[in-house]
Amino acid sequence: QVQLMESGGGLVQAGGSLRLSCAASGTIFSVMGWYRQAPGKQRELVATITSGENVVYAGSVKGRFTISRDNAKNTVTLQMNSLKPEDTAVYYCYGRSWTNTNYWGQGTQVTVSS
């Protein structure tokens, strides 16, 4: 049973902050991260972090979002600051196992009002 469980989504005003958390279970992930999907758009990468804590950010969030990983707790967190209305989307936790299988959380809604 491999599972990724997101929490922390909600409604926030532009310029505000939210922290998303993802709790993983069932396997060890070589890569974890966050993707988002806005209405009418494709799912896009937000940030990823490897087990060695190498990170990649989308250009649109670089400098505003911070991804972190606690391997001991098997959690990954996305701190989102200076939120903009265009950040509004369903955010999905992502994990890639060492057997090269991709897993997805259920998603959590983030809505940023202008």
Side-chain angles (χ1 to χ4, degrees):
Q1 182 196 42
V2 177
Q3 198 165 33
L4 298 167
M5 302 181 67
E6 306 100 330
S7 62
L11 175 65
V12 65
Q13 293 182 349
S17 298
L18 283 173
R19 181 184 291 109
L20 305 182
S21 296
C22 177
S25 62
T27 192
I28 297 173
F29 296 98
S30 61
V31 181
M32 298 187 72
W34 295 90
Y35 287 69
R36 67 187 182 187
Q37 188 167 23
K41 296 185 177 180
Q42 284 191 289
R43 189 173 298 184
E44 64 176 355
L45 181 145
V46 178
T48 59
I49 183 167
T50 69
S51 59
E53 300 194 9
N54 293 313
V55 300
V56 174
Y57 293 100
S60 59
V61 307
K62 197 173 185 66
R64 299 188 297 121
F65 292 8
T66 302
I67 189 170
S68 60
R69 178 172 180 167
D70 188 331
N71 291 328
K73 296 180 179 180
N74 293 319
T75 59
V76 62
T77 300
L78 185 69
Q79 177 66 45
M80 305 185 294
N81 298 327
S82 302
L83 283 162
K84 304 174 180 179
E86 50 263 45
D87 294 318
T88 296
V90 177
Y91 284 70
Y92 297 90
C93 185
Y94 164 81
R96 184 178 184 182
S97 73
W98 288 100
T99 58
N100 295 320
T101 301
N102 296 326
Y103 296 93
W104 297 93
Q106 293 180 340
T108 185
Q109 177 70 46
V110 172
T111 302
V112 184
S113 62
S114 59

